[in-house]
Structures are given as structure tokens and as C-alpha cells.
Amino acid sequence: QVQLVESGGGLVQAGGSLRLSCAASGGTLSSYSMGWFRQAPGKEREFVAAIKWSSSSTYYGDSVKGRFTMSRDNAKNMVFLQMNSLKPEDTAVYYCAAGGGPTYYYVVSAAAYGYWGQGTQVTVSS
């Protein structure tokens, strides 16, 4: 059973930066993709970024490309999301997830992820 714990959320002004962390325990992540998703009040969960554990390929949602960077630390079983040039529309609860699948569709689809963290709030003020 994989357990995920996010940290690093908070309140930041527009244009600022935050770095989210996700620590994984309880299982090997070598066969999983790791993803970040977000959900704002009244909106559906949105794909933000993902990294394939086996290949290190990264994927980003269109709204965050060029501003967010996802990385991992194999030794610590952690993934990170560096968020720069934050905008008010980035305000949401950010979730770390493990699972995904071998193709792009399954990497970006929330339904393909079986393990989720509790989420961390990111609030960007204008």
C-alpha cells in the first residue's frame, strides 16, 4: 500500500514561487508514474504534471507549461513540483498521485491513479 504525503503549500503573491514536495512510502515506485493534480472549488480535478518513474519523461498541463517543473529524488522516494510565476488562477488544492499507465492518456488521467495524498492548499493572491 503506497502512502503519499504532500507538503509545501501556502499563500503567495502573484508572480511568486512555491515548491511542493510529495513523500512516498509503503511500496516501490519503480512501476508507477507520479502525478500532480489540482482542484479548485467548483471545478473538476485538473492534470498539472507527471513523471514516468521508469523513463523520467515529464508531462505538463497546458496551463502550467513553462512555469512549473516536476522532478524526483529516487533515493528519497520523493517528487517535487517547482511552481514559478504563479497566477491567481493557480489557486487550488494540489494532490500528489501514484499510478498512471504506459501511455500518455493514462499518465494525464486522474482515473488511472490509484494512490492519492491528502492534498496541500496553494493560494495565490493578486
Side-chain angles (χ1 to χ4, degrees):
Q1 185 79 1
V2 176
Q3 296 178 326
L4 305 172
V5 178
E6 304 99 332
S7 61
L11 173 64
V12 64
Q13 289 188 332
S17 299
L18 281 174
R19 187 187 192 218
L20 304 184
S21 300
C22 174
S25 62
T28 178
L29 299 179
S30 60
S31 61
Y32 294 106
S33 294
M34 296 295 296
W36 286 98
F37 292 80
R38 67 186 183 186
Q39 190 165 19
K43 294 188 176 181
E44 293 187 354
R45 193 161 295 191
E46 176 189 13
F47 169 73
V48 176
I51 187 167
K52 276 191 172 181
W53 208 258
S54 58
S55 67
S56 297
S57 298
T58 51
Y59 306 83
Y60 296 96
D62 289 340
S63 61
V64 306
K65 280 180 182 176
R67 299 187 298 122
F68 291 11
T69 303
M70 185 172 181
S71 61
R72 72 185 195 196
D73 184 326
N74 291 356
K76 295 183 179 180
N77 243 16
M78 295 185 70
V79 294
F80 307 95
L81 185 68
Q82 178 66 43
M83 306 186 295
N84 297 329
S85 303
L86 283 162
K87 305 175 181 179
E89 50 264 44
D90 294 318
T91 296
V93 177
Y94 283 70
Y95 297 91
C96 175
T103 64
Y104 175 80
Y105 173 81
Y106 292 103
V107 170
V108 304
S109 299
Y113 287 78
Y115 301 100
W116 293 84
Q118 82 287 351
T120 185
Q121 177 71 45
V122 171
T123 303
V124 184
S125 63
S126 57

